[in-house]
Amino acid sequence: MSVGDKKRVKFFVFFALIRIFAESMKEQKDIIRVYQRYLKLQRGYSANTLDAYERDLQKLLAYLDAEGKHVLDVQLADLQHFAAGLHDIGIGPRSQCRILSGVRSFYRFLQLDGYRDDDPTELLESPVLGEHLPEVLSMAEVDQLKKSIDVSKWEGHRNRAIIEVLFSCGLRVSELVNLKLSNLYLNEKYVRVFGKGSKERLVPISKKAVEELALWFSMRQRMNIKPGEEDYVFLNRRGAHLTRVMILLMIKQQAQLAGIQKTISPHTLRHSFATALLEGGADLRVIQALLGHESIGTTEIYTHIDMTTLRQQILRHHPRNAKRKWVEHTDD
């Protein structure tokens, strides 16, 4: 074979490899597109949840691209190396668990839809998490948070209403920003909420929250509202509905002004809602329904919070503990 023939063979081999790689990448993109459609249409996930799944899956795809691996050729060892890499680049255990949960969902889909005969994630382990109990606010601290708001400013009554609705209804912040006037039944004292997966639930609303909303509506009706935004309950100064980040920043700022030392977020008020119900004697199944939890296991964390509160009360007020404190004090 001449030198020219060898060059031509090398060229055709190189061209064929490029074509195979391009077809492989196209097949992978098509699979990802089908998976995203599955999450949206069959699982009914919201836009926020879909974005989260896509971001986490992109981490795996970037790793596989660097390793020259196709998603259909992945084995357990590849995923174990990927998981180790998440740790090495400083991603925390809780975020690692979320990412790996998304990877499991993806490969379960591939098996379910016939792309693979096996599921390489079956033996994939996640980091062990210690028990983490979320911060909660007492009724006095919620009132303190509201009192720190300057109601002479245009957004004052809006922010008070936001805090009261979060605390009295236990809404997720995504549910709050998407709350519509057409979903408020204030005379009947309940609101209709669309949670994760667009699942609908009815949640009672307190008299205090209704009063705060009425004060906000008196301000809201004087606003110039953008077309298409008229049905949203909570608006910014430009007449558009609020974002989750805006509410997070507002609550953190008010906590600082109120002198609350706890690290809180909009979700803290949801936790506080559930904990207050449990401490008041509400059944765990009722709390599950009000929060829109799919699994009772998610709701059970509040039993741990309640036990922690009970233990603190016993240590503070039980005579055995009081006596012990006195003895320790006199020994000094």
Side-chain angles (χ1 to χ4, degrees):
M1 186 181 291
S2 67
V3 174
D5 290 337
K6 288 181 179 179
K7 286 183 177 180
R8 277 192 294 275
V9 169
K10 285 183 179 179
F11 172 78
F12 284 120
V13 169
F14 178 70
F15 181 77
L17 289 173
I18 290 178
R19 185 174 180 180
I20 291 170
F21 178 77
E23 289 176 352
S24 175
M25 289 300 100
K26 182 180 182 302
E27 179 192 28
Q28 183 165 291
K29 287 181 180 178
D30 289 341
I31 291 171
I32 302 302
R33 196 175 297 113
V34 173
Y35 174 60
Q36 290 170 335
R37 191 160 59 244
Y38 159 78
L39 293 178
K40 182 178 182 180
L41 300 180
Q42 294 193 37
R43 298 302 298 272
Y45 288 157
S46 67
N48 291 331
T49 304
L50 290 172
D51 287 344
Y53 268 82
E54 184 176 354
R55 285 196 303 270
D56 291 341
L57 185 57
Q58 286 303 323
K59 292 180 177 63
L60 174 66
L61 296 177
Y63 169 79
L64 295 179
D65 185 52
E67 295 292 316
K69 285 269 187 179
H70 190 282
V71 291
L72 297 183
D73 300 325
V74 166
Q75 300 301 317
L76 175 61
D78 301 311
L79 297 175
Q80 289 171 333
H81 290 150
F82 169 67
L86 295 176
H87 171 78
D88 292 342
I89 62 176
I91 294 177
R94 199 164 296 276
S95 295
Q96 290 177 44
C97 286
R98 189 201 66 241
I99 293 168
L100 295 180
S101 175
V103 170
R104 289 188 188 91
S105 170
F106 176 59
Y107 278 98
R108 280 195 294 269
F109 159 77
L110 293 182
Q111 185 182 29
L112 181 69
D113 228 45
Y115 288 100
R116 291 184 61 125
D117 295 326
D118 65 329
D119 178 1
T121 68
E122 282 183 339
L123 300 177
L124 181 64
E125 296 182 353
S126 291
V128 177
L129 298 177
E131 187 180 82
H132 172 71
L133 300 182
E135 292 277 19
V136 295
L137 297 177
S138 65
M139 178 80 77
E141 287 173 319
V142 173
D143 290 339
Q144 186 180 341
L145 193 63
K146 287 172 59 182
K147 286 177 183 175
S148 70
I149 295 172
D150 184 358
V151 292
S152 67
K153 295 182 178 179
W154 80 269
E155 72 272 23
H157 286 300
R158 181 202 66 184
N159 292 348
R160 284 175 64 96
I162 286 172
I163 290 170
E164 192 60 50
V165 170
L166 285 172
F167 178 63
S168 8
C169 299
L171 303 188
R172 299 178 178 94
V173 67
S174 58
E175 295 168 347
L176 183 95
V177 297
N178 290 306
L179 193 61
K180 306 287 182 65
L181 294 174
S182 54
N183 292 327
L184 300 182
Y185 301 87
L186 301 184
N187 291 332
E188 293 81 6
K189 300 291 192 299
Y190 72 87
V191 298
R192 185 168 59 171
V193 179
F194 294 91
K196 290 186 176 180
S198 299
K199 291 181 179 177
E200 179 184 337
R201 69 185 191 276
L202 299 177
V203 181
I205 185 170
S206 70
K207 179 182 176 182
K208 187 63 179 174
V210 172
E211 291 172 354
E212 295 290 1
L213 282 171
L215 291 170
W216 156 236
F217 290 155
S218 65
M219 175 67 70
R220 185 185 181 282
Q221 66 185 2
R222 299 198 294 269
M223 296 179 64
N224 292 320
I225 301 175
K226 285 188 174 181
E229 304 283 294
E230 296 90 351
D231 200 23
Y232 285 97
V233 174
F234 296 109
L235 305 171
N236 61 27
R237 65 174 64 247
R238 294 180 299 279
H241 69 280
L242 295 175
T243 65
R244 293 179 298 170
V245 173
M246 289 176 185
I247 294 177
L248 172 66
L249 294 174
M250 181 273 288
I251 287 179
K252 285 189 173 295
Q253 181 182 31
Q254 291 307 143
Q256 187 176 12
L257 291 173
I260 295 173
Q261 300 301 315
K262 298 173 181 176
T263 302
I264 71 168
S265 69
H267 219 64
T268 307
L269 291 162
R270 178 170 159 89
H271 292 314
S272 305
F273 163 82
T275 306
L277 284 177
L278 190 65
E279 290 176 350
D283 184 87
L284 203 60
R285 289 286 180 186
V286 173
I287 299 173
Q288 178 191 3
L290 292 173
L291 292 175
H293 284 161
E294 188 171 341
S295 168
I296 190 67
T298 309
T299 317
E300 283 175 346
I301 188 173
Y302 297 107
T303 62
H304 299 303
I305 298 173
D306 193 40
M307 288 303 296
T308 301
T309 303
L310 289 174
R311 183 176 183 277
Q312 291 171 347
Q313 293 297 311
I314 290 171
L315 289 175
R316 187 176 298 120
H317 301 298
H318 194 279
R320 290 292 191 193
N321 294 303
K323 181 178 178 181
R324 182 179 166 189
K325 288 180 182 177
W326 177 81
V327 170
E328 289 173 351
H329 178 72
T330 56
D331 286 344
D332 287 343

Coordinates of all heavy atoms in Angstrom, one line a residue, residues 274-314:
A274 N -45.9 23.9 61.0 CA -46.0 22.5 61.2 C -45.7 22.2 62.7 O -46.5 21.4 63.3 CB -45.1 21.7 60.3
T275 N -44.7 22.8 63.2 CA -44.3 22.5 64.6 C -45.4 23.0 65.6 O -45.7 22.4 66.6 CB -42.9 23.2 64.9 OG1 -42.0 22.7 64.0 CG2 -42.5 22.8 66.3
A276 N -45.9 24.2 65.3 CA -47.0 24.8 66.2 C -48.2 23.9 66.2 O -48.8 23.7 67.2 CB -47.3 26.2 65.7
L277 N -48.5 23.3 65.0 CA -49.7 22.4 64.9 C -49.4 21.1 65.8 O -50.3 20.7 66.5 CB -49.9 22.0 63.5 CG -50.6 23.0 62.6 CD1 -50.7 22.5 61.2 CD2 -52.0 23.4 63.1
L278 N -48.2 20.6 65.6 CA -47.9 19.3 66.4 C -47.9 19.6 67.9 O -48.4 18.8 68.6 CB -46.5 18.8 65.9 CG -46.1 17.4 66.4 CD1 -47.1 16.4 65.8 CD2 -44.7 17.1 66.1
E279 N -47.3 20.7 68.3 CA -47.3 21.0 69.7 C -48.7 21.3 70.2 O -49.0 21.0 71.4 CB -46.4 22.3 70.0 CG -44.9 22.0 69.8 CD -44.1 23.2 69.9 OE1 -44.7 24.3 70.0 OE2 -42.8 23.1 69.9
G280 N -49.6 21.7 69.4 CA -51.0 21.9 69.8 C -51.8 20.7 69.8 O -53.0 20.7 70.1
G281 N -51.2 19.6 69.3 CA -51.9 18.3 69.4 C -52.5 17.8 68.1 O -53.2 16.8 68.0
A282 N -52.1 18.4 66.9 CA -52.7 18.0 65.6 C -52.1 16.7 65.2 O -50.9 16.3 65.6 CB -52.3 19.1 64.6
D283 N -52.9 15.9 64.6 CA -52.5 14.6 64.1 C -51.5 14.7 62.9 O -51.6 15.6 62.1 CB -53.7 13.8 63.5 CG -53.4 12.4 63.1 OD1 -53.4 11.5 64.0 OD2 -53.1 12.2 61.9
L284 N -50.5 13.8 62.9 CA -49.4 13.9 61.9 C -49.9 13.8 60.5 O -49.4 14.5 59.6 CB -48.4 12.8 62.2 CG -46.9 13.1 61.6 CD1 -46.4 14.4 62.2 CD2 -46.0 11.9 61.9
R285 N -51.0 13.0 60.3 CA -51.6 12.9 59.0 C -52.2 14.2 58.5 O -52.2 14.5 57.3 CB -52.6 11.7 59.0 CG -52.0 10.3 59.1 CD -51.3 9.9 57.8 NE -50.8 8.6 57.9 CZ -50.0 8.0 57.0 NH1 -49.8 8.6 55.9 NH2 -49.5 6.8 57.2
V286 N -52.8 14.9 59.4 CA -53.4 16.2 59.1 C -52.3 17.2 58.7 O -52.5 17.9 57.7 CB -54.2 16.7 60.3 CG1 -54.7 18.2 60.0 CG2 -55.4 15.8 60.6
I287 N -51.2 17.2 59.4 CA -50.1 18.1 59.1 C -49.6 17.7 57.7 O -49.3 18.6 56.9 CB -49.0 18.0 60.1 CG1 -49.6 18.4 61.5 CG2 -47.8 18.8 59.7 CD1 -48.6 18.2 62.7
Q288 N -49.5 16.4 57.4 CA -49.0 15.9 56.1 C -49.9 16.5 55.0 O -49.4 17.0 54.0 CB -49.0 14.4 56.0 CG -48.6 13.9 54.7 CD -48.8 12.4 54.6 OE1 -49.4 11.7 55.5 NE2 -48.4 11.8 53.4
A289 N -51.2 16.4 55.2 CA -52.1 16.9 54.2 C -52.0 18.4 54.0 O -52.0 18.9 52.9 CB -53.6 16.5 54.6
L290 N -51.9 19.2 55.1 CA -51.8 20.6 55.0 C -50.5 21.1 54.3 O -50.5 22.1 53.6 CB -51.9 21.2 56.4 CG -53.3 21.1 57.1 CD1 -53.2 21.6 58.5 CD2 -54.3 21.9 56.3
L291 N -49.4 20.4 54.6 CA -48.1 20.7 54.0 C -48.0 20.2 52.5 O -47.2 20.7 51.8 CB -47.0 20.1 54.8 CG -46.8 20.7 56.2 CD1 -45.7 20.0 56.9 CD2 -46.4 22.2 56.1
G292 N -48.9 19.3 52.1 CA -48.8 18.7 50.8 C -47.6 17.8 50.6 O -47.1 17.6 49.5
H293 N -47.2 17.1 51.7 CA -46.2 16.1 51.6 C -46.7 14.8 51.0 O -47.8 14.3 51.4 CB -45.6 15.8 53.0 CG -44.7 16.8 53.6 ND1 -44.4 16.9 54.9 CD2 -44.0 17.8 53.0 CE1 -43.6 17.9 55.1 NE2 -43.4 18.5 54.0
E294 N -45.9 14.3 50.0 CA -46.4 13.0 49.4 C -46.2 11.8 50.4 O -47.0 10.9 50.4 CB -45.5 12.8 48.1 CG -46.0 11.6 47.3 CD -45.4 11.6 45.9 OE1 -44.8 12.6 45.5 OE2 -45.4 10.5 45.3
S295 N -45.1 11.9 51.2 CA -44.8 10.8 52.1 C -44.9 11.3 53.5 O -44.5 12.4 53.9 CB -43.4 10.3 51.8 OG -42.9 9.5 52.9
I296 N -45.5 10.4 54.4 CA -45.5 10.7 55.8 C -44.2 10.8 56.5 O -43.9 11.5 57.4 CB -46.4 9.7 56.6 CG1 -46.7 10.1 58.0 CG2 -45.7 8.3 56.6 CD1 -47.6 11.3 58.1
G297 N -43.2 10.1 55.8 CA -41.8 10.2 56.3 C -41.2 11.6 56.3 O -40.4 11.9 57.2
T298 N -41.6 12.4 55.3 CA -41.1 13.8 55.3 C -41.7 14.6 56.4 O -41.0 15.4 57.0 CB -41.6 14.4 53.9 OG1 -41.2 13.6 52.9 CG2 -40.9 15.8 53.8
T299 N -42.9 14.3 56.8 CA -43.6 15.0 57.9 C -43.1 14.6 59.2 O -43.1 15.4 60.2 CB -45.1 14.8 57.8 OG1 -45.6 14.8 56.4 CG2 -45.9 15.8 58.6
E300 N -42.6 13.4 59.3 CA -42.1 12.9 60.7 C -41.0 13.7 61.3 O -40.7 13.5 62.5 CB -41.8 11.4 60.5 CG -43.0 10.5 60.5 CD -42.7 9.1 60.3 OE1 -41.5 8.8 59.9 OE2 -43.6 8.2 60.4
I301 N -40.3 14.5 60.5 CA -39.2 15.3 61.1 C -39.7 16.2 62.2 O -39.0 16.5 63.1 CB -38.4 16.1 60.0 CG1 -37.2 16.7 60.6 CG2 -39.4 17.1 59.4 CD1 -36.3 17.4 59.6
Y302 N -41.0 16.6 62.1 CA -41.5 17.5 63.1 C -41.7 16.8 64.4 O -41.8 17.5 65.4 CB -42.8 18.1 62.5 CG -42.6 18.9 61.3 CD1 -43.0 18.5 60.0 CD2 -41.9 20.1 61.4 CE1 -42.7 19.2 58.9 CE2 -41.6 20.9 60.2 CZ -42.0 20.4 59.0 OH -41.7 21.1 57.9
T303 N -41.8 15.5 64.4 CA -41.9 14.8 65.7 C -40.5 14.9 66.4 O -40.5 15.0 67.6 CB -42.2 13.3 65.5 OG1 -41.2 12.7 64.8 CG2 -43.6 13.2 64.8
H304 N -39.4 15.0 65.7 CA -38.1 15.2 66.3 C -38.0 16.6 66.8 O -37.4 16.8 67.9 CB -37.0 14.9 65.2 CG -37.0 13.5 64.7 ND1 -36.9 12.4 65.5 CD2 -37.1 13.1 63.4 CE1 -36.9 11.3 64.7 NE2 -37.1 11.7 63.5
I305 N -38.5 17.5 66.1 CA -38.5 18.9 66.6 C -39.2 19.0 67.9 O -38.8 19.7 68.8 CB -39.0 19.9 65.5 CG1 -38.2 19.8 64.2 CG2 -39.1 21.3 66.0 CD1 -38.8 20.6 63.1
D306 N -40.4 18.4 67.9 CA -41.3 18.5 69.1 C -40.6 17.9 70.3 O -40.7 18.4 71.4 CB -42.6 17.9 68.8 CG -43.7 18.2 69.8 OD1 -43.7 19.3 70.3 OD2 -44.4 17.3 70.2
M307 N -40.0 16.7 70.0 CA -39.3 16.0 71.1 C -38.1 16.9 71.7 O -37.8 16.9 72.9 CB -38.8 14.7 70.7 CG -39.9 13.6 70.5 SD -40.9 13.4 72.0 CE -39.6 12.7 73.1
T308 N -37.4 17.6 70.7 CA -36.3 18.5 71.2 C -36.9 19.6 72.0 O -36.3 19.9 73.1 CB -35.6 19.1 69.9 OG1 -35.1 18.0 69.1 CG2 -34.5 20.0 70.3
T309 N -38.0 20.2 71.6 CA -38.6 21.2 72.4 C -39.1 20.7 73.8 O -38.8 21.4 74.8 CB -39.9 21.8 71.7 OG1 -39.5 22.2 70.4 CG2 -40.5 22.9 72.4
L310 N -39.6 19.5 73.8 CA -40.1 18.9 75.1 C -38.9 18.7 76.0 O -38.9 19.0 77.2 CB -40.8 17.6 74.9 CG -42.2 17.7 74.2 CD1 -42.7 16.3 73.9 CD2 -43.2 18.5 75.2
R311 N -37.8 18.2 75.5 CA -36.6 18.0 76.3 C -36.1 19.3 76.9 O -35.7 19.3 78.0 CB -35.5 17.3 75.4 CG -34.3 16.9 76.2 CD -33.3 16.2 75.3 NE -32.1 15.8 76.1 CZ -31.1 16.6 76.4 NH1 -31.1 17.8 75.9 NH2 -30.1 16.1 77.1
Q312 N -36.0 20.3 76.1 CA -35.6 21.6 76.6 C -36.5 22.1 77.7 O -36.0 22.7 78.7 CB -35.6 22.7 75.4 CG -34.5 22.4 74.4 CD -34.6 23.2 73.1 OE1 -35.6 23.9 72.9 NE2 -33.6 23.3 72.3
Q313 N -37.8 21.9 77.6 CA -38.7 22.3 78.6 C -38.5 21.6 79.9 O -38.5 22.1 81.0 CB -40.1 22.2 78.1 CG -40.5 23.1 77.0 CD -40.5 24.6 77.4 OE1 -41.0 24.9 78.4 NE2 -39.8 25.4 76.6
I314 N -38.2 20.3 79.8 CA -38.0 19.4 81.0 C -36.7 19.9 81.7 O -36.6 20.0 82.9 CB -37.9 17.9 80.6 CG1 -39.3 17.4 80.2 CG2 -37.3 17.1 81.7 CD1 -39.3 16.1 79.5

